[in-house]
Amino acid sequence: MTPEEKKAFEDELYTYVGKAIYSAPRKGYDDVNTAMIRQWSEVMGDKNPAYNDSEWAAKSQRGHTIAPPAMMYAWTQEGYKVASEGRPADGQVEMVQFFDRHGFSGSLGTNVDQEYFVEAKPGDSIFEESIIDSISEQKSTARGIGYFFETYAKFTNQDGVLIGTQRFRVFKFIPPVEAATAPAQDGALEVPTRAVSPRGQDNKWWWDACDEGKILIQRCQNCQTLRHPPRPMCGECQSTEWDSIESTLDGEVYSFVEMHHPKFPGYQYPLVVAVIDLAEGTRIIANVVGCEVKDIHIGMKIKGKVEQVDPKTMLPQFYPVAGSAA
Amino acid sequence: MNTFNYADVKVGDKLPALEIPITASLISCGALATRDFEPCHHDKSVAQGMGLTDVFMNILTSQALMARFVTDWSGPEAVMKGLKVKLGAPNVPGMTMTVSGEIAAKDDAENSVTVEVTGENNIWGMHMSGSVRIALP
Ligand SMILES: [Zn+2]
């Protein structure tokens, strides 16, 4: 989109803000009923007697069964037509098609906020009134470029009493090309592993040794200075001649952080990443494991072991030396 | 079946974790029970066309499981006041979702507690996070 095209698109897009999704309050096809409540409860594994046990409910504070409040939005849904013929036109469908025509065909529900004021019970009719409440400016996210829109719905019963409200946020975006051209196949879910170590000319030897269970420290052949991480030239004497020694992995915590957010798939939490002083005199960055996070402290004596942390990754993991934690 | 009294719970109390195996049955039947007939929740070929391996859980099922998790703990006299959910990675068959929660706030005016809830699946991590507000006797 050129800036001019984008402006024309947005000028039309933002006219949808404030528009009603249905021309009149939409009445659920069925009144609140025990059959649909039972089916919902069975599938969700919800054994709450307030929903299905009329004997229990008669003696409860309420005196009768209720519909699960989380079913509020289910009562006014369109039904099987959505799969067999496509969703019938309404204000939201019209806006979604406008997005689709301009390439924003990806759709992702991101947030639902519901407030409940009155519990619905079998026999109640549910009416929904919805508007397109807001549309964001253009956003760039991990999914792609697009716009968030938010609908606002009010649910009332046959007496006009407001039983609840809902905000529903959707991201409409330009989907990545590969998703459209390469449909996924049947197969086992690939379990994510840790970020793969980048192996270049200068450090491949180090990772290859790690894969075999050894942590090496580079040593200048000219002046014997140790260095880590691996690099081609000695910082002391500028020699490019080097060999290596194997670390005993005796060390102590120089500094550490606990990674909380965002959580990356493939990593085990709690996740403590430490800068470690090795007995040989160099430092290494690695995980501290095998104790409570609260017991880790600067100066704590630790001992490393090279372990397989996931199906693809060998890494040194450092454990407290007996008596050094807490 | 007992329900917690407002006075008996405090901020920081943890709810017992709930492990939910994610199956094609749960996903497709959950979509139908919430009357969500979008094909991606019951037709694998449509979900695969969207780049996923299989059908994926609809929002109203995630929301239902979050609600159930809280009322399983609170007991049946609790009155649900609000539910907020933010969606993350999809739930697809073959995963296990672990739901956990903790009381984050109490409101004396309403006798309500807000439980912060997260549902993480064992493959992609965070599926849902949010909160459920319930009034207790
Ligand atoms: Zn040197």
Side-chain angles (χ1 to χ4, degrees):
Chain A
M1 260 187 203
T2 65
E4 293 73 27
E5 285 168 345
K6 184 181 169 203
K7 186 178 182 306
F9 169 73
E10 288 187 347
D11 283 349
E12 186 169 348
L13 176 64
Y14 292 128
T15 63
Y16 286 100
V17 175
K19 274 199 180 164
I21 294 175
Y22 313 116
S23 52
R26 176 190 176 85
K27 184 172 185 275
Y29 291 131
D30 292 292
D31 289 345
V32 174
N33 65 84
T34 56
M36 285 168 66
I37 293 172
R38 178 171 306 285
Q39 182 164 307
W40 184 97
S41 307
E42 283 177 3
V43 176
M44 305 308 168
D46 197 329
K47 298 186 176 67
N48 192 333
Y51 305 151
N52 294 292
D53 186 338
S54 50
E55 226 168 278
W56 178 90
K59 290 182 234 144
S60 71
Q61 295 288 323
R62 300 176 180 95
H64 55 79
T65 61
I66 57 164
M71 276 188 87
M72 183 168 72
Y73 192 42
W75 300 111
T76 54
Q77 291 296 306
E78 181 57 49
Y80 184 60
K81 202 183 275 181
V82 169
S84 60
E85 301 170 23
R87 204 172 273 282
D90 62 34
Q92 183 171 337
V93 170
E94 203 184 302
M95 180 184 67
V96 163
Q97 287 170 349
F98 176 73
F99 270 120
D100 292 348
R101 281 199 304 278
H102 289 80
F104 297 90
S105 57
S107 210
L108 189 73
T110 62
N111 298 73
V112 186
D113 290 1
Q114 294 185 334
E115 292 280 318
Y116 312 114
F117 307 118
V118 175
E119 293 173 322
K121 57 183 190 305
D124 284 351
S125 302
I126 306 293
F127 296 81
E128 177 198 342
E129 269 179 282
S130 282
I131 61 163
I132 294 158
D133 197 48
S134 65
I135 303 173
S136 74
E137 58 189 27
Q138 196 178 87
K139 303 270 187 189
S140 184
T141 77
R143 290 273 174 175
I145 288 175
Y147 298 81
F148 288 92
F149 74 82
E150 197 168 88
T151 62
Y152 178 65
K154 288 181 182 177
F155 295 87
T156 51
N157 65 15
Q158 62 284 356
D159 302 320
V161 173
L162 185 66
I163 64 166
T165 58
Q166 170 180 275
R167 285 187 179 281
F168 203 113
R169 184 184 285 198
V170 177
F171 187 52
K172 283 295 288 172
F173 59 100
I174 300 174
V177 179
E178 63 269 27
T181 54
Q185 303 290 320
D186 284 9
L189 288 168
E190 191 169 335
V191 178
T193 53
R194 293 185 177 219
V196 177
S197 53
R199 300 187 184 200
Q201 262 187 344
D202 295 328
N203 67 353
K204 182 175 183 296
W205 63 274
W206 190 91
W207 285 106
D208 289 349
C210 181
D211 285 348
E212 282 163 16
K214 285 187 282 196
I215 296 303
L216 300 182
I217 303 172
Q218 212 173 6
R219 180 173 62 187
C220 174
Q221 278 194 323
N222 184 45
C223 74
Q224 310 299 305
T225 304
L226 298 173
R227 61 181 191 259
H228 183 82
R231 49 194 182 269
M233 185 184 281
C234 175
E236 297 297 318
C237 74
Q238 284 75 51
S239 167
T240 55
E241 299 301 313
W242 57 269
D243 60 6
S244 63
I245 60 164
E246 186 177 347
S247 172
T248 61
L249 296 180
D250 292 297
E252 63 178 61
V253 174
Y254 175 75
S255 175
F256 69 99
V257 291
E258 182 185 358
M259 303 283 289
H260 289 279
H261 185 82
K263 282 188 178 167
F264 294 100
Y267 288 75
Q268 290 79 44
Y269 292 82
L271 180 62
V272 172
V273 181
V275 179
I276 296 159
D277 274 326
L278 290 176
E280 290 83 5
T282 53
R283 287 184 180 143
I284 189 170
I285 293 175
N287 302 130
V288 177
V289 298
C291 64
E292 300 275 328
V293 176
K294 65 174 172 49
D295 293 336
I296 298 174
H297 55 270
I298 288 168
M300 183 168 84
K301 299 270 184 257
I302 47 181
K303 172 86 177 172
K305 274 193 281 189
V306 179
E307 294 179 343
Q308 181 144 20
V309 295
D310 65 43
K312 292 181 182 165
T313 318
M314 295 285 284
L315 280 178
Q317 302 283 287
F318 284 79
Y319 291 81
V321 171
S324 67
Chain B
M1 198 168 285
N2 292 325
T3 301
F4 276 112
N5 285 314
Y6 181 70
D8 296 338
V9 300
K10 59 182 192 304
V11 170
D13 285 355
K14 284 189 168 40
L15 280 63
L18 174 67
E19 279 201 0
I20 302 174
I22 308 301
T23 61
S25 298
L26 175 61
I27 291 166
S28 56
C29 298
L32 270 47
T34 55
R35 288 189 52 78
D36 183 343
F37 288 85
E38 285 290 348
C40 55
H41 305 308
H42 63 258
D43 184 334
K44 185 156 110 173
S45 64
V46 172
Q48 289 190 341
M50 296 168 73
L52 285 141
T53 53
D54 206 334
V55 292
F56 57 95
M57 186 173 282
N58 72 323
I59 296 182
L60 269 67
T61 298
S62 304
Q63 203 196 17
L65 295 173
M66 193 180 260
R68 171 207 153 184
F69 168 73
V70 172
T71 52
D72 273 2
W73 163 80
S74 67
E77 296 283 15
V79 176
M80 204 169 292
K81 296 289 184 184
L83 190 155
K84 294 178 197 233
V85 58
K86 179 179 190 317
L87 276 302
N91 272 350
V92 300
M95 296 176 166
T96 300
M97 177 169 70
T98 303
V99 188
S100 52
E102 178 176 332
I103 298 180
K106 287 184 80 173
D107 179 353
D108 293 344
E110 197 185 46
N111 262 27
S112 73
V113 301
T114 299
V115 182
E116 275 184 3
V117 183
T118 57
E120 287 191 32
N121 68 46
N122 59 329
I123 308 284
W124 290 332
M126 186 67 71
H127 166 69
M128 62 179 182
S129 62
S131 63
V132 179
R133 196 169 96 250
I134 50 167
L136 293 174

